């Protein structure tokens, strides 16, 4: 799967597709997306370059939530953990169908979603709200519903990251995680959602770049390169018949540079059908040349390549059976209303022991504090969001004092917030991953220490309450998107009752399923 820089397809990419009948491309928001019209023209040009009738596979990571590879005007759904909080797989299916409909309208026919990882480790730096929750059975229901929704409109779903990296302590973008689970644990937790996806007919599986010593016998071998993981477990035991694609090959969990071809050949021998390349031309040339040499040296079985070609051809034929809807469906009112419904059914009042809710106009000046949206991992597009918590509250209250701080505020910034808070009647403090970022916890605790009535809001994972447990009134939105924050404001001012329940437990405080 090729990729490139730019909002137009480079001639060399078009010639590669035409000359070698390349299976497809991956589009990235920061590299290839400007607006809906542009990306539609891009996908049309890419499809026109192919030399067979079956369409190219044009893929992207439209997980929604914190990772939206297609930006405005695509509908900003709150994402998987919000859907887990709503606890309605039928709602999840409807969202999957809406996401797929918008993707097909733009000419994109493969979604690197759903995330099937179970979020058993609150400190996992690369998962969080990308997961539906920490209950494998509930996650499995939502994963299957997403597969059904996407594929009902002709977008091939991709279960990831096989066989499950929810318990990782390391981001595979930077290093190789090692998960020490035995087979009993894998069967009871990690594999449950993947089995559900396979039963739902998922078309692709994305490999995880992490080691599983209990399966492979090595704490240095990524699952992407392991025959025991991709062939013995995935194909033979779980009976997956679809296409296996790697996670991105530029992640530091794999070998980089000239030696990378060793890992690539190992991946193909392990059972990979497609390689997810990045835009570095040197990488693409090295891998292409190296694979050709490996084939000529009989390091790769031609029969294995033929089976991969057959699976890819079948997938291309399948996506070709569906028409593309008109561009007007992208961001349409029906989908915006659905995004609002997700927010309304997911926002969770975790605690209101201070009986501070609902806020009223008589509360006077309200200080609203929010971190600047920032990408916390490479699987993140939060930086494209505009801070909107204060605007959401202004719909209900005129006297709003607005402060946007750094994701990692320094001592001076924290002191400035506390000083402003001391002059306010009420504070509303939003945090993003305060459970992993001590400076954000320090800021929230500094405001709480002033003694003024304070509402804290976990705007990413709900674990943040554990970083400032003395907060008496706490909400979880699972999203920094405008629809979620507007609904949170509605809840705070009493025009809407919160319906969401925690899809994960907060250690030492609340069990999964809690909500006021």
């Amino acid at each position: 799967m090729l990729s490139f820089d730019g909002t137009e397809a480079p001639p060399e990419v078009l010639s590669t597709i035409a000359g070698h009948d390349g299976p497809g491309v991956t589009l990235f928001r920061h590299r290839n997306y400007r607006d809906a019209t542009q990306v539609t023209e891009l996908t049309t040009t890419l499809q026109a370059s192919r030399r067979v009738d079956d369409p190219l596979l044009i893929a992207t990571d439209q997980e929604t939530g914190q990772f939206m590879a297609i930006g405005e005007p695509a509908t900003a759904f709150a994402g998987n953990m919000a859907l887990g909080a709503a606890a309605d797989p039928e709602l999840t299916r409807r969202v999957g169908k809406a996401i797929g409909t918008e993707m097909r309208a733009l000419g994109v026919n493969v979604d690197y979603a759903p995330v099937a990882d179970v979020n058993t480790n609150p400190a996992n730096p690369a998962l969080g709200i990308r997961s539906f929750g920490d209950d494998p059975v509930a996650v499995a229901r939502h994963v299957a519903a997403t597969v059904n929704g996407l594929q009902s409109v002709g977008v091939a779903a991709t279960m990831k990251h096989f066989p499950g990296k929810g318990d990782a302590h390391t981001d595979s973008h930077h290093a190789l995680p090692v998960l020490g689970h035995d087979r009993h644990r894998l069967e009871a937790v990690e594999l449950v959602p993947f089995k559900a996806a396979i039963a739902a007919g998922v078309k692709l599986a994305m490999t995880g770049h992490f080691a599983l010593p209990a399966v492979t016998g090595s704490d240095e071998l990524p699952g992407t390169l392991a025959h025991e993981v991709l062939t013995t477990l995935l194909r033979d035991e779980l009976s997956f018949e679809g296409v296996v694609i790697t996670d991105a090959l530029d992640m530091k969990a794999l070998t980089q540079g000239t030696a990378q071809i060793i890992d690539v050949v190992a991946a193909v021998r392990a059972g990979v059908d497609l390689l997810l390349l990045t835009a570095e031309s040197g990488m693409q040339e090295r891998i292409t040349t190296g694979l050709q040499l490996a084939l000529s040296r009989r390091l790769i079985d031609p029969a294995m390549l033929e089976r991969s070609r057959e699976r890819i051809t079948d997938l291309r034929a399948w996506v070709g059976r569906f028409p593309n809807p008109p561009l007007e469906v992208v961001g349409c009112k029906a989908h915006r209303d659905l995004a609002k419904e997700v927010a309304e059914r997911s926002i969770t009042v975790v605690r209101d022991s201070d009986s501070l809710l609902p806020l009223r106009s008589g509360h006077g000046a309200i200080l609203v504090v929010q971190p600047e949206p920032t990408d916390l991992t490479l699987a993140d597009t939060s930086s494209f969001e505009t801070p909107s918590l204060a605007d959401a509250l202004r719909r209900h209250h005129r006297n709003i004092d607005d402060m946007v701080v750094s994701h990692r505020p320094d001592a001076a910034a924290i002191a400035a917030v506390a000083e402003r808070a001391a002059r306010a009647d009420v504070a509303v403090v939003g945090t993003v991953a305060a459970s992993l970022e001590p400076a954000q916890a320090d800021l929230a605790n500094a405001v709480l220490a002033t003694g003024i009535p304070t509402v804290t809001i976990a705007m990413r994972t709900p674990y943040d309450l554990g970083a400032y447990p003395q907060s008496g009134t706490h909400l979880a939105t699972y999203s920094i998107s405008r629809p979620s924050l507007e609904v949170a404001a509605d809840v705070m001012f009493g025009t809407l009752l919160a319906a969401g329940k925690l899809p994960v437990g907060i250690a030492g405080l609340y069990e999964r399923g809690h909500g006021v």
Side-chain angles (χ1 to χ4, degrees), residues 259-289:
Q260 184 181 49
I261 188 58
I262 301 298
D263 280 3
V264 170
V265 172
V268 173
R269 288 169 60 97
V272 160
D273 300 306
L274 285 174
L275 302 165
L276 203 171
L277 303 188
T278 59
E280 184 200 342
S281 60
M283 171 194 286
Q284 296 181 16
E285 293 173 4
R286 289 196 306 270
I287 289 175
T288 300
T289 302

Side-chain angles (χ1 to χ4, degrees), residues 78-313:
N80 290 350
M81 193 166 283
L83 289 165
D88 182 358
E90 173 57 21
L91 175 63
T92 300
R93 186 200 64 79
R94 290 162 55 204
V95 170
K97 182 178 180 180
I99 293 169
T101 300
E102 295 192 0
M103 292 178 67
R104 285 295 309 218
L106 297 168
V108 182
N109 53 35
V110 175
D111 195 359
Y112 295 147
V115 172
D117 303 314
V118 183
N119 197 49
T120 53
N121 176 19
N124 189 324
L127 190 57
I129 57 171
R130 299 172 68 198
S131 170
F132 289 104
D134 64 10
D135 175 18
V137 174
V139 171
R141 294 192 186 106
H142 290 288
V143 166
T146 303
V147 170
N148 287 328
L150 288 169
Q151 295 188 172
S152 70
V153 291
V155 170
T158 310
M159 60 180 189
K160 66 182 186 185
H161 307 80
F162 187 81
K165 67 171 185 177
D167 208 40
H169 289 266
T170 303
D171 187 342
S172 53
H173 288 94
H174 306 299
L176 178 68
V178 179
L179 276 66
H181 305 320
D182 60 22
R183 185 57 188 264
H184 176 75
R185 156 65 189 242
L186 290 174
E187 290 287 348
V189 179
E190 277 74 19
L191 293 180
V192 175
F194 292 99
K195 290 179 179 179
I198 293 170
V202 68
K203 297 295 182 182
L204 295 96
M206 180 177 285
T207 67
H209 298 333
F210 53 90
L212 273 171
V215 176
T216 66
S218 170
D219 59 5
E220 297 181 351
L221 181 65
T224 297
L225 317 182
H227 186 275
E228 300 92 330
V229 171
L230 301 187
T231 297
T232 305
L233 177 57
L234 180 58
R235 296 244 184 247
D236 298 341
E237 296 184 28
L238 301 187
S239 301
F240 177 66
E241 298 179 352
V243 171
V244 176
I245 183 169
T246 68
D247 206 343
L249 293 181
D250 63 344
M251 294 186 182
K252 302 302 188 294
L254 300 182
T255 306
Q256 300 300 305
T258 55
Q260 184 181 49
I261 188 58
I262 301 298
D263 280 3
V264 170
V265 172
V268 173
R269 288 169 60 97
V272 160
D273 300 306
L274 285 174
L275 302 165
L276 203 171
L277 303 188
T278 59
E280 184 200 342
S281 60
M283 171 194 286
Q284 296 181 16
E285 293 173 4
R286 289 196 306 270
I287 289 175
T288 300
T289 302
L291 284 174
Q292 291 170 341
L293 184 60
L295 182 61
S296 72
R297 297 298 190 264
R298 300 182 181 180
L299 295 177
I300 298 175
D301 181 2
M304 178 179 286
L305 289 188
E306 185 56 32
R307 289 192 292 272
S308 288
R309 183 182 298 278
E310 290 172 357
R311 285 189 283 263
I312 294 165
T313 299

Side-chain angles (χ1 to χ4, degrees), residues 284-355:
Q284 296 181 16
E285 293 173 4
R286 289 196 306 270
I287 289 175
T288 300
T289 302
L291 284 174
Q292 291 170 341
L293 184 60
L295 182 61
S296 72
R297 297 298 190 264
R298 300 182 181 180
L299 295 177
I300 298 175
D301 181 2
M304 178 179 286
L305 289 188
E306 185 56 32
R307 289 192 292 272
S308 288
R309 183 182 298 278
E310 290 172 357
R311 285 189 283 263
I312 294 165
T313 299
D314 288 346
L315 178 59
R316 292 175 66 172
W318 180 85
V319 299
R321 295 204 298 265
F322 294 81
N324 287 351
L327 194 58
E328 289 73 25
V329 302
V330 180
C332 65
K333 183 179 184 302
H335 292 173
R336 296 197 307 274
D337 289 346
L338 182 57
K340 183 179 180 183
E341 180 182 350
V342 173
E344 289 175 346
R345 296 175 63 181
S346 62
I347 302 300
T348 307
V349 176
V350 180
R351 176 191 288 172
D352 188 25
S353 58
D354 291 342
S355 299

